[in-house]
Each structure stands twice: as structure tokens, then as C-alpha cells.
Amino acid sequence: MKDNSVTKKIRDYYALNSSVNLSYNELFNVLQLSKKEKGLLSDALAELLNSGTLRKERKKYQLVNQTKSVQFQNSTRNARTAFRPSPTSINPNLIEGVFDATPLSRNFSFAFVRGAEKDYFIGAEDTLNAYHNDVVAIETKVRRGNQEYGIIRKIVKRFSENLAGDLVKMGTRWTFVCSNPKIHNWFEVTDTMGAIEGEKVILTVLNWGNPISGKAPIGKVTEVLGKSGDPQVELISVIRQYNLPLDFPDNVLEAANKLSDVISPSVLNKRFDLRDKFTFTIDPASAKDFDDAISIETIDNGWRLFVHIADVAHYLPIGGDIFTEAAKRGNSFYFPKKVIPMLPERLSNGICSLRPQEDKLCMTVETEFNKKGKVIAQTIYESVICSDARLAYEEVDALFASAETMEKAVTSLSPSLVEALYESRKLSRLL
């Protein structure tokens, strides 16, 4: 981006006076700006702060220390044009982190930056124009009492330039209120795209504002999602707000389709075979992926409990296409009547789902408890299981409710399953 005239004057001045600290008014006077140029001064200073060229300390602007802040070529004639730090040339002592605006959204006068090693306190006046989840670079300071805090000097990367929210008309002007309350400011809207008040929209940010000059952030509507409050519209809004991935890349689906659902003898021989243990799962009635199961046995001095967790890692070699996509997603996202899975359906609902009457690979935690519920012994190992039953919470609740009311349970559950559930409940109550 080409410097405006005021930005150039500031750069040229600091190129020859690298150690000075000047306030806004002092800069206006020393640069001998016109009234027209004064209107550009705030924007120019904000640009230089954002690029890491300048920093602000006690209302005074100073040049950030750089290894090559000025290059004089051969004469004073060249000095005025030599200072041109690149946009990424920032103080090497700056620390990167993720901006957390949670306190600001709750009307506190501070925020945090979550660094790799620790968190930094950021005063509201030192947030530059950062928004929640932006990656920022901060300069650290130490207060009296050795309390460490930070000042945001640069926005490294915006979390998203597309926000989901609602339109509000204020007089003749339109304002955008983000659905995510941690986006702590309202945005001016230049184009509503025909949307009306009460509709959920996607706003593309055109300008993130300038707190120094009091300029509000600005954006334009690029998509109208529908009526606010409609469950389907709200669902789409959340998906769009957080850029959630609705589909898997072709290479990931191809890799999943190549996986075999048959467990080879060589794999079985390396695992504890627990297929003879009576095993069951309990999940919501609508669940399709059953990722944990239990087996329970009564022993002389208490119980032996087996908790079986689907061994997804067996099917995801590190660095493979499925692993890389799963790591990027991090987790599955659960909505009313909809799930955005971390793994392709062939894995999550098929190969790795502990469905009844199918051999499955697991990691099993085996624990012995005494009659007081105290752990006597515990181990973890790779196993293969075969679930005997798939239960819904409602079935189990109905069984236990009948016991509470001393009524005979009317159930289709097998005697073995009923006995296992009651023993599980005894142990659960002790724990």
C-alpha cells in the first residue's frame, strides 16, 4: 500500500530523529501539517502502530528498535527516502498470542492475550483494534510489584473477516451486532444487501476501525441467512461464524474408503481378547457413533470394571490425510439434530463405532474396586471386544425408576444385562 503524504512525513522525520518521543500534538507541530493533513494524522499513526514501525508509550510515539531502521546511502538527499521498513519488520522482542476479548464483552476494561507459555493482561486502551481470537503481537511491560502486562503492537492475523449477526436500525443508519458476544463492538453497515431488521446476516468487514481516532469498524452485508430465531438459521449462523467444515476433502474420504473393516489375525494376536466379556454401550437414542462401552464383573472383594474406548488411533497414522484433517478440526461439533464429525462417517459411525455383534479394536482400562469403591489395581491395554447390547439412556432410566418405586420392571432387557446394570449402579453410587 502506498504511503499517504502524512505517513511519509512521519517516516522521514523518524528516519532522521530515531530517538525522539513525540505526542500527537507535538508531531502535528513539528511536521508543520496543514488543517487538511491533521485529519489524516490519526490514520497515519494507527497504520504505523499496526505495522510495528512505531509504538505508543504514555501518549508519546517512538520508533521501534530495529536492526536496520535507517539506511543512509550517500547523502542527506537520500536520507529522507531511505527509511522503508517492510510490513513484517517488527520488534523481534514482540510476543505472539491469541487475543481473548471475553472480559471486554462483559464490560470490563481489560482483556488477555493467550501466549504459548502464559497469559498477558491487556488494558482496554492497549488493544489496538484487535478482536476475539485474532492472532496479535504484543510488547511486554512490567508494572510495580513485578506484574507483567502487554501492549498490542500488531495484528498478525484476523480470526475471520466474515461475521454472523443481526441488523439494527438506529435512526437512518444501520448497525451490525455480532451473534458472538465476544466481538465486543458494533459495526457500521455501508450496504445491507436488502436485509431488514430482524434478519440474520453475514457481514464482511471492510475496516476494523481505529480506536485512536474514535472510528467505528465498518462492514457490508454479503449474505442474508434468514429470520433471526429460526433454529435452522441460527445453526447456519454458527457454522458460518466459526468457519466450521461441513464437508471432508476428497483425499480424506478416499483414504477412509480404503480402510478395511476386517480385523486381521496379526492385529488380533497382539491384543487382549475380551470378546467373551459381557459388554454394552449406553448412548442417546439418536446416537450413531458409539465410542465407549463397559463390562463389569463381581469378584470376591468387590468389582472388576472394564471401560473400553474405541481405538481410533489405530486407523489414523500420524501425518496421514485423515489424521491431518482430524487434527485441524480438533473435535466433533454437536448441534440439535446435527453433528459435524471430526472423522469421516465411515470411521465415526462404522469402523470405530462399537456396534453390537461386531468385533472392534479398543483401548481398555481395567480397574478393580473393593466393596467400598476404593481402587485396588488398574491397568490399560489394547484389546478387541464385541458388544452384546446397545442401550439408550431412556431404557436405563426406566429400569432404575421402576426399582425406586418398588414396581416390577417391564423390560425387554436380558437378565444378564439387567444384572450388569444394577451392579454398575451400585459401584457408581460408591464412586
Side-chain angles (χ1 to χ4, degrees), residues 163-204:
L163 307 175
D166 300 275
L167 286 180
V168 178
K169 194 167 188 179
M170 308 182 75
T172 59
R173 305 176 70 179
W174 287 94
T175 300
F176 171 83
V177 182
C178 188
S179 296
N180 181 357
K182 294 183 181 182
I183 302 298
H184 58 283
N185 285 332
W186 291 6
F187 289 69
E188 292 183 7
V189 180
T190 60
D191 182 358
T192 65
M193 200 179 167
I196 60 175
E197 198 164 16
E199 287 187 318
K200 189 76 68 176
V201 300
I202 298 295
L203 185 89
T204 297

mmCIF file of all heavy atoms in Angstrom, residues 163-204:
data_model
loop_
_atom_site.group_PDB
_atom_site.id
_atom_site.type_symbol
_atom_site.label_atom_id
_atom_site.label_comp_id
_atom_site.label_asym_id
_atom_site.label_seq_id
_atom_site.Cartn_x
_atom_site.Cartn_y
_atom_site.Cartn_z
ATOM 1 N N LEU A 163 -18.506 -12.169 9.682
ATOM 2 C CA LEU A 163 -19.165 -12.321 10.972
ATOM 3 C C LEU A 163 -20.657 -12.542 10.776
ATOM 4 O O LEU A 163 -21.268 -11.949 9.876
ATOM 5 C CB LEU A 163 -18.937 -11.080 11.832
ATOM 6 C CG LEU A 163 -17.473 -10.636 12.019
ATOM 7 C CD1 LEU A 163 -17.438 -9.317 12.782
ATOM 8 C CD2 LEU A 163 -16.686 -11.697 12.755
ATOM 9 N N ALA A 164 -21.246 -13.366 11.626
ATOM 10 C CA ALA A 164 -22.693 -13.597 11.586
ATOM 11 C C ALA A 164 -23.349 -12.806 12.700
ATOM 12 O O ALA A 164 -22.836 -12.735 13.823
ATOM 13 C CB ALA A 164 -22.991 -15.086 11.747
ATOM 14 N N GLY A 165 -24.501 -12.188 12.380
ATOM 15 C CA GLY A 165 -25.175 -11.398 13.403
ATOM 16 C C GLY A 165 -26.460 -10.786 12.906
ATOM 17 O O GLY A 165 -27.023 -11.206 11.889
ATOM 18 N N ASP A 166 -26.919 -9.765 13.619
ATOM 19 C CA ASP A 166 -28.214 -9.138 13.347
ATOM 20 C C ASP A 166 -28.050 -7.672 12.958
ATOM 21 O O ASP A 166 -27.106 -7.001 13.402
ATOM 22 C CB ASP A 166 -29.103 -9.236 14.584
ATOM 23 C CG ASP A 166 -29.361 -10.676 14.992
ATOM 24 O OD1 ASP A 166 -30.286 -11.273 14.440
ATOM 25 O OD2 ASP A 166 -28.626 -11.195 15.860
ATOM 26 N N LEU A 167 -28.993 -7.198 12.165
ATOM 27 C CA LEU A 167 -29.033 -5.789 11.787
ATOM 28 C C LEU A 167 -29.971 -5.025 12.711
ATOM 29 O O LEU A 167 -31.058 -5.500 13.033
ATOM 30 C CB LEU A 167 -29.511 -5.633 10.341
ATOM 31 C CG LEU A 167 -28.531 -6.017 9.235
ATOM 32 C CD1 LEU A 167 -29.177 -5.801 7.879
ATOM 33 C CD2 LEU A 167 -27.238 -5.221 9.344
ATOM 34 N N VAL A 168 -29.532 -3.852 13.114
ATOM 35 C CA VAL A 168 -30.353 -2.975 13.943
ATOM 36 C C VAL A 168 -30.344 -1.593 13.298
ATOM 37 O O VAL A 168 -29.281 -1.057 12.972
ATOM 38 C CB VAL A 168 -29.805 -2.867 15.386
ATOM 39 C CG1 VAL A 168 -30.647 -1.910 16.206
ATOM 40 C CG2 VAL A 168 -29.756 -4.246 16.037
ATOM 41 N N LYS A 169 -31.522 -1.009 13.107
ATOM 42 C CA LYS A 169 -31.595 0.330 12.513
ATOM 43 C C LYS A 169 -31.635 1.365 13.623
ATOM 44 O O LYS A 169 -32.475 1.307 14.522
ATOM 45 C CB LYS A 169 -32.837 0.452 11.620
ATOM 46 C CG LYS A 169 -32.785 1.681 10.719
ATOM 47 C CD LYS A 169 -33.848 1.619 9.633
ATOM 48 C CE LYS A 169 -33.649 2.759 8.635
ATOM 49 N NZ LYS A 169 -34.650 2.713 7.551
ATOM 50 N N MET A 170 -30.723 2.318 13.547
ATOM 51 C CA MET A 170 -30.635 3.381 14.549
ATOM 52 C C MET A 170 -30.775 4.702 13.818
ATOM 53 O O MET A 170 -29.828 5.211 13.232
ATOM 54 C CB MET A 170 -29.308 3.294 15.303
ATOM 55 C CG MET A 170 -29.049 1.901 15.881
ATOM 56 S SD MET A 170 -27.522 1.765 16.827
ATOM 57 C CE MET A 170 -27.992 2.604 18.334
ATOM 58 N N GLY A 171 -32.001 5.233 13.838
ATOM 59 C CA GLY A 171 -32.291 6.432 13.056
ATOM 60 C C GLY A 171 -32.289 6.087 11.587
ATOM 61 O O GLY A 171 -33.050 5.239 11.133
ATOM 62 N N THR A 172 -31.394 6.733 10.848
ATOM 63 C CA THR A 172 -31.279 6.443 9.411
ATOM 64 C C THR A 172 -30.092 5.525 9.108
ATOM 65 O O THR A 172 -29.846 5.205 7.953
ATOM 66 C CB THR A 172 -31.105 7.754 8.627
ATOM 67 O OG1 THR A 172 -29.931 8.430 9.092
ATOM 68 C CG2 THR A 172 -32.325 8.654 8.812
ATOM 69 N N ARG A 173 -29.379 5.112 10.153
ATOM 70 C CA ARG A 173 -28.169 4.323 9.942
ATOM 71 C C ARG A 173 -28.383 2.881 10.391
ATOM 72 O O ARG A 173 -29.155 2.596 11.312
ATOM 73 C CB ARG A 173 -26.986 4.942 10.704
ATOM 74 C CG ARG A 173 -26.756 6.398 10.337
ATOM 75 C CD ARG A 173 -25.655 7.023 11.147
ATOM 76 N NE ARG A 173 -24.341 6.493 10.797
ATOM 77 C CZ ARG A 173 -23.214 6.911 11.364
ATOM 78 N NH1 ARG A 173 -23.239 7.858 12.277
ATOM 79 N NH2 ARG A 173 -22.056 6.394 10.991
ATOM 80 N N TRP A 174 -27.659 1.968 9.730
ATOM 81 C CA TRP A 174 -27.743 0.563 10.069
ATOM 82 C C TRP A 174 -26.514 0.139 10.873
ATOM 83 O O TRP A 174 -25.395 0.545 10.585
ATOM 84 C CB TRP A 174 -27.833 -0.301 8.818
ATOM 85 C CG TRP A 174 -29.169 -0.230 8.143
ATOM 86 C CD1 TRP A 174 -29.537 0.591 7.119
ATOM 87 C CD2 TRP A 174 -30.325 -1.006 8.461
ATOM 88 N NE1 TRP A 174 -30.842 0.380 6.769
ATOM 89 C CE2 TRP A 174 -31.358 -0.609 7.572
ATOM 90 C CE3 TRP A 174 -30.598 -2.011 9.395
ATOM 91 C CZ2 TRP A 174 -32.625 -1.174 7.610
ATOM 92 C CZ3 TRP A 174 -31.859 -2.576 9.423
ATOM 93 C CH2 TRP A 174 -32.862 -2.153 8.538
ATOM 94 N N THR A 175 -26.761 -0.667 11.900
ATOM 95 C CA THR A 175 -25.694 -1.172 12.766
ATOM 96 C C THR A 175 -25.751 -2.699 12.791
ATOM 97 O O THR A 175 -26.836 -3.280 12.756
ATOM 98 C CB THR A 175 -25.850 -0.628 14.198
ATOM 99 O OG1 THR A 175 -25.786 0.795 14.165
ATOM 100 C CG2 THR A 175 -24.754 -1.155 15.111
ATOM 101 N N PHE A 176 -24.592 -3.304 12.846
ATOM 102 C CA PHE A 176 -24.498 -4.765 12.899
ATOM 103 C C PHE A 176 -24.052 -5.194 14.288
ATOM 104 O O PHE A 176 -23.066 -4.691 14.827
ATOM 105 C CB PHE A 176 -23.480 -5.255 11.855
ATOM 106 C CG PHE A 176 -23.139 -6.717 11.960
ATOM 107 C CD1 PHE A 176 -23.962 -7.683 11.380
ATOM 108 C CD2 PHE A 176 -22.001 -7.133 12.634
ATOM 109 C CE1 PHE A 176 -23.642 -9.030 11.471
ATOM 110 C CE2 PHE A 176 -21.675 -8.476 12.731
ATOM 111 C CZ PHE A 176 -22.499 -9.429 12.150
ATOM 112 N N VAL A 177 -24.789 -6.137 14.883
ATOM 113 C CA VAL A 177 -24.455 -6.699 16.191
ATOM 114 C C VAL A 177 -24.111 -8.169 15.987
ATOM 115 O O VAL A 177 -24.963 -8.960 15.575
ATOM 116 C CB VAL A 177 -25.620 -6.557 17.189
ATOM 117 C CG1 VAL A 177 -25.212 -7.117 18.549
ATOM 118 C CG2 VAL A 177 -26.064 -5.110 17.301
ATOM 119 N N CYS A 178 -22.865 -8.539 16.272
ATOM 120 C CA CYS A 178 -22.410 -9.910 16.037
ATOM 121 C C CYS A 178 -23.090 -10.884 16.997
ATOM 122 O O CYS A 178 -23.308 -10.570 18.172
ATOM 123 C CB CYS A 178 -20.897 -9.988 16.199
ATOM 124 S SG CYS A 178 -20.193 -11.587 15.720
ATOM 125 N N SER A 179 -23.415 -12.071 16.498
ATOM 126 C CA SER A 179 -24.030 -13.105 17.341
ATOM 127 C C SER A 179 -23.069 -13.591 18.416
ATOM 128 O O SER A 179 -23.496 -14.052 19.474
ATOM 129 C CB SER A 179 -24.469 -14.293 16.478
ATOM 130 O OG SER A 179 -25.464 -13.915 15.569
ATOM 131 N N ASN A 180 -21.783 -13.514 18.130
ATOM 132 C CA ASN A 180 -20.781 -13.886 19.128
ATOM 133 C C ASN A 180 -20.574 -12.706 20.069
ATOM 134 O O ASN A 180 -20.022 -11.680 19.670
ATOM 135 C CB ASN A 180 -19.460 -14.244 18.435
ATOM 136 C CG ASN A 180 -18.388 -14.674 19.421
ATOM 137 O OD1 ASN A 180 -18.597 -14.662 20.639
ATOM 138 N ND2 ASN A 180 -17.233 -15.048 18.914
ATOM 139 N N PRO A 181 -21.011 -12.812 21.326
ATOM 140 C CA PRO A 181 -20.906 -11.663 22.242
ATOM 141 C C PRO A 181 -19.478 -11.228 22.518
ATOM 142 O O PRO A 181 -19.249 -10.127 23.017
ATOM 143 C CB PRO A 181 -21.587 -12.172 23.520
ATOM 144 C CG PRO A 181 -21.484 -13.662 23.442
ATOM 145 C CD PRO A 181 -21.569 -14.000 21.982
ATOM 146 N N LYS A 182 -18.498 -12.072 22.169
ATOM 147 C CA LYS A 182 -17.103 -11.705 22.427
ATOM 148 C C LYS A 182 -16.545 -10.768 21.361
ATOM 149 O O LYS A 182 -15.430 -10.261 21.507
ATOM 150 C CB LYS A 182 -16.251 -12.967 22.550
ATOM 151 C CG LYS A 182 -16.635 -13.795 23.769
ATOM 152 C CD LYS A 182 -15.749 -15.000 23.951
ATOM 153 C CE LYS A 182 -16.207 -15.795 25.186
ATOM 154 N NZ LYS A 182 -15.354 -16.971 25.448
ATOM 155 N N ILE A 183 -17.312 -10.562 20.272
ATOM 156 C CA ILE A 183 -16.967 -9.479 19.341
ATOM 157 C C ILE A 183 -17.542 -8.232 19.971
ATOM 158 O O ILE A 183 -18.729 -7.946 19.878
ATOM 159 C CB ILE A 183 -17.551 -9.731 17.939
ATOM 160 C CG1 ILE A 183 -17.043 -11.072 17.394
ATOM 161 C CG2 ILE A 183 -17.192 -8.602 16.985
ATOM 162 C CD1 ILE A 183 -15.543 -11.166 17.215
ATOM 163 N N HIS A 184 -16.701 -7.476 20.675
ATOM 164 C CA HIS A 184 -17.145 -6.529 21.690
ATOM 165 C C HIS A 184 -17.640 -5.195 21.154
ATOM 166 O O HIS A 184 -18.116 -4.373 21.928
ATOM 167 C CB HIS A 184 -16.012 -6.288 22.695
ATOM 168 C CG HIS A 184 -14.739 -5.778 22.057
ATOM 169 N ND1 HIS A 184 -13.882 -6.614 21.365
ATOM 170 C CD2 HIS A 184 -14.195 -4.543 22.002
ATOM 171 C CE1 HIS A 184 -12.850 -5.917 20.928
ATOM 172 N NE2 HIS A 184 -13.013 -4.655 21.286
ATOM 173 N N ASN A 185 -17.531 -4.933 19.849
ATOM 174 C CA ASN A 185 -18.017 -3.673 19.277
ATOM 175 C C ASN A 185 -19.120 -3.909 18.256
ATOM 176 O O ASN A 185 -19.213 -4.992 17.671
ATOM 177 C CB ASN A 185 -16.867 -2.917 18.579
ATOM 178 C CG ASN A 185 -15.916 -2.270 19.575
ATOM 179 O OD1 ASN A 185 -16.309 -1.922 20.679
ATOM 180 N ND2 ASN A 185 -14.667 -2.124 19.191
ATOM 181 N N TRP A 186 -19.918 -2.897 18.041
ATOM 182 C CA TRP A 186 -20.889 -2.912 16.948
ATOM 183 C C TRP A 186 -20.219 -2.338 15.704
ATOM 184 O O TRP A 186 -19.275 -1.565 15.793
ATOM 185 C CB TRP A 186 -22.121 -2.088 17.309
ATOM 186 C CG TRP A 186 -22.954 -2.721 18.398
ATOM 187 C CD1 TRP A 186 -22.659 -3.841 19.120
ATOM 188 C CD2 TRP A 186 -24.225 -2.262 18.879
ATOM 189 N NE1 TRP A 186 -23.655 -4.116 20.018
ATOM 190 C CE2 TRP A 186 -24.640 -3.166 19.895
ATOM 191 C CE3 TRP A 186 -25.054 -1.195 18.559
ATOM 192 C CZ2 TRP A 186 -25.836 -3.014 20.586
ATOM 193 C CZ3 TRP A 186 -26.250 -1.049 19.247
ATOM 194 C CH2 TRP A 186 -26.638 -1.954 20.247
ATOM 195 N N PHE A 187 -20.746 -2.707 14.537
ATOM 196 C CA PHE A 187 -20.150 -2.293 13.268
ATOM 197 C C PHE A 187 -21.127 -1.409 12.494
ATOM 198 O O PHE A 187 -22.334 -1.674 12.468
ATOM 199 C CB PHE A 187 -19.823 -3.519 12.407
ATOM 200 C CG PHE A 187 -18.675 -4.347 12.918
ATOM 201 C CD1 PHE A 187 -18.797 -5.091 14.089
ATOM 202 C CD2 PHE A 187 -17.480 -4.391 12.228
ATOM 203 C CE1 PHE A 187 -17.751 -5.865 14.554
ATOM 204 C CE2 PHE A 187 -16.425 -5.168 12.694
ATOM 205 C CZ PHE A 187 -16.559 -5.899 13.864
ATOM 206 N N GLU A 188 -20.582 -0.373 11.871
ATOM 207 C CA GLU A 188 -21.385 0.411 10.933
ATOM 208 C C GLU A 188 -21.558 -0.392 9.647
ATOM 209 O O GLU A 188 -20.656 -1.117 9.236
ATOM 210 C CB GLU A 188 -20.702 1.745 10.625
ATOM 211 C CG GLU A 188 -20.665 2.706 11.802
ATOM 212 C CD GLU A 188 -20.039 4.043 11.425
ATOM 213 O OE1 GLU A 188 -19.764 4.247 10.217
ATOM 214 O OE2 GLU A 188 -19.833 4.882 12.328
ATOM 215 N N VAL A 189 -22.733 -0.271 9.025
ATOM 216 C CA VAL A 189 -23.040 -1.044 7.821
ATOM 217 C C VAL A 189 -23.182 -0.109 6.635
ATOM 218 O O VAL A 189 -24.001 0.817 6.660
ATOM 219 C CB VAL A 189 -24.336 -1.865 8.009
ATOM 220 C CG1 VAL A 189 -24.642 -2.674 6.754
ATOM 221 C CG2 VAL A 189 -24.207 -2.785 9.214
ATOM 222 N N THR A 190 -22.387 -0.348 5.598
ATOM 223 C CA THR A 190 -22.445 0.507 4.412
ATOM 224 C C THR A 190 -23.466 0.004 3.392
ATOM 225 O O THR A 190 -23.992 0.771 2.598
ATOM 226 C CB THR A 190 -21.069 0.577 3.732
ATOM 227 O OG1 THR A 190 -20.666 -0.751 3.337
ATOM 228 C CG2 THR A 190 -20.028 1.147 4.676
ATOM 229 N N ASP A 191 -23.733 -1.299 3.405
ATOM 230 C CA ASP A 191 -24.654 -1.897 2.430
ATOM 231 C C ASP A 191 -25.380 -3.051 3.104
ATOM 232 O O ASP A 191 -24.750 -4.016 3.564
ATOM 233 C CB ASP A 191 -23.863 -2.389 1.211
ATOM 234 C CG ASP A 191 -24.762 -2.985 0.121
ATOM 235 O OD1 ASP A 191 -25.990 -3.054 0.327
ATOM 236 O OD2 ASP A 191 -24.220 -3.376 -0.926
ATOM 237 N N THR A 192 -26.710 -2.980 3.181
ATOM 238 C CA THR A 192 -27.493 -4.032 3.853
ATOM 239 C C THR A 192 -27.870 -5.171 2.919
ATOM 240 O O THR A 192 -28.433 -6.168 3.361
ATOM 241 C CB THR A 192 -28.772 -3.446 4.451
ATOM 242 O OG1 THR A 192 -29.611 -2.969 3.383
ATOM 243 C CG2 THR A 192 -28.459 -2.320 5.419
ATOM 244 N N MET A 193 -27.620 -5.016 1.622
ATOM 245 C CA MET A 193 -27.958 -6.034 0.632
ATOM 246 C C MET A 193 -29.462 -6.369 0.678
ATOM 247 O O MET A 193 -29.869 -7.493 0.417
ATOM 248 C CB MET A 193 -27.120 -7.294 0.865
ATOM 249 C CG MET A 193 -27.023 -8.226 -0.345
ATOM 250 S SD MET A 193 -25.992 -9.666 0.052
ATOM 251 C CE MET A 193 -26.381 -10.727 -1.326
ATOM 252 N N GLY A 194 -30.256 -5.377 1.048
ATOM 253 C CA GLY A 194 -31.705 -5.566 1.073
ATOM 254 C C GLY A 194 -32.237 -6.214 2.326
ATOM 255 O O GLY A 194 -33.449 -6.446 2.459
ATOM 256 N N ALA A 195 -31.349 -6.547 3.281
ATOM 257 C CA ALA A 195 -31.802 -7.176 4.525
ATOM 258 C C ALA A 195 -32.593 -6.179 5.357
ATOM 259 O O ALA A 195 -32.411 -4.964 5.262
ATOM 260 C CB ALA A 195 -30.599 -7.680 5.321
ATOM 261 N N ILE A 196 -33.493 -6.711 6.180
ATOM 262 C CA ILE A 196 -34.311 -5.857 7.047
ATOM 263 C C ILE A 196 -34.015 -6.190 8.503
ATOM 264 O O ILE A 196 -33.400 -7.213 8.813
ATOM 265 C CB ILE A 196 -35.812 -6.038 6.751
ATOM 266 C CG1 ILE A 196 -36.228 -7.498 6.986
ATOM 267 C CG2 ILE A 196 -36.137 -5.603 5.334
ATOM 268 C CD1 ILE A 196 -37.723 -7.739 6.838
ATOM 269 N N GLU A 197 -34.472 -5.317 9.378
ATOM 270 C CA GLU A 197 -34.259 -5.538 10.808
ATOM 271 C C GLU A 197 -34.914 -6.853 11.230
ATOM 272 O O GLU A 197 -36.023 -7.168 10.817
ATOM 273 C CB GLU A 197 -34.835 -4.372 11.608
ATOM 274 C CG GLU A 197 -34.299 -4.279 13.024
ATOM 275 C CD GLU A 197 -34.581 -2.934 13.664
ATOM 276 O OE1 GLU A 197 -35.437 -2.194 13.127
ATOM 277 O OE2 GLU A 197 -33.957 -2.614 14.678
ATOM 278 N N GLY A 198 -34.197 -7.631 12.053
ATOM 279 C CA GLY A 198 -34.728 -8.917 12.485
ATOM 280 C C GLY A 198 -34.231 -10.090 11.676
ATOM 281 O O GLY A 198 -34.624 -11.229 11.925
ATOM 282 N N GLU A 199 -33.373 -9.819 10.693
ATOM 283 C CA GLU A 199 -32.812 -10.903 9.889
ATOM 284 C C GLU A 199 -31.359 -11.152 10.273
ATOM 285 O O GLU A 199 -30.625 -10.229 10.625
ATOM 286 C CB GLU A 199 -32.902 -10.585 8.392
ATOM 287 C CG GLU A 199 -34.315 -10.678 7.833
ATOM 288 C CD GLU A 199 -34.363 -10.539 6.328
ATOM 289 O OE1 GLU A 199 -33.649 -9.662 5.790
ATOM 290 O OE2 GLU A 199 -35.115 -11.298 5.693
ATOM 291 N N LYS A 200 -30.991 -12.406 10.199
ATOM 292 C CA LYS A 200 -29.615 -12.806 10.465
ATOM 293 C C LYS A 200 -28.819 -12.686 9.164
ATOM 294 O O LYS A 200 -29.276 -13.122 8.105
ATOM 295 C CB LYS A 200 -29.581 -14.252 10.956
ATOM 296 C CG LYS A 200 -28.240 -14.724 11.460
ATOM 297 C CD LYS A 200 -27.919 -14.177 12.838
ATOM 298 C CE LYS A 200 -28.821 -14.753 13.905
ATOM 299 N NZ LYS A 200 -28.459 -14.295 15.249
ATOM 300 N N VAL A 201 -27.631 -12.065 9.260
ATOM 301 C CA VAL A 201 -26.842 -11.803 8.065
ATOM 302 C C VAL A 201 -25.378 -12.164 8.293
ATOM 303 O O VAL A 201 -24.941 -12.370 9.430
ATOM 304 C CB VAL A 201 -26.929 -10.313 7.646
ATOM 305 C CG1 VAL A 201 -28.367 -9.912 7.354
ATOM 306 C CG2 VAL A 201 -26.321 -9.414 8.728
ATOM 307 N N ILE A 202 -24.639 -12.231 7.191
ATOM 308 C CA ILE A 202 -23.179 -12.331 7.240
ATOM 309 C C ILE A 202 -22.618 -10.976 6.840
ATOM 310 O O ILE A 202 -22.962 -10.434 5.792
ATOM 311 C CB ILE A 202 -22.650 -13.410 6.281
ATOM 312 C CG1 ILE A 202 -23.183 -14.787 6.669
ATOM 313 C CG2 ILE A 202 -21.119 -13.408 6.273
ATOM 314 C CD1 ILE A 202 -22.714 -15.295 8.016
ATOM 315 N N LEU A 203 -21.775 -10.425 7.704
ATOM 316 C CA LEU A 203 -21.136 -9.138 7.438
ATOM 317 C C LEU A 203 -19.669 -9.372 7.092
ATOM 318 O O LEU A 203 -18.952 -10.052 7.819
ATOM 319 C CB LEU A 203 -21.225 -8.234 8.668
ATOM 320 C CG LEU A 203 -20.692 -6.814 8.470
ATOM 321 C CD1 LEU A 203 -21.816 -5.907 7.960
ATOM 322 C CD2 LEU A 203 -20.106 -6.243 9.758
ATOM 323 N N THR A 204 -19.237 -8.826 5.961
ATOM 324 C CA THR A 204 -17.824 -8.853 5.600
ATOM 325 C C THR A 204 -17.203 -7.541 6.053
ATOM 326 O O THR A 204 -17.668 -6.459 5.675
ATOM 327 C CB THR A 204 -17.634 -9.031 4.088
ATOM 328 O OG1 THR A 204 -18.184 -10.300 3.704
ATOM 329 C CG2 THR A 204 -16.165 -8.998 3.709
#
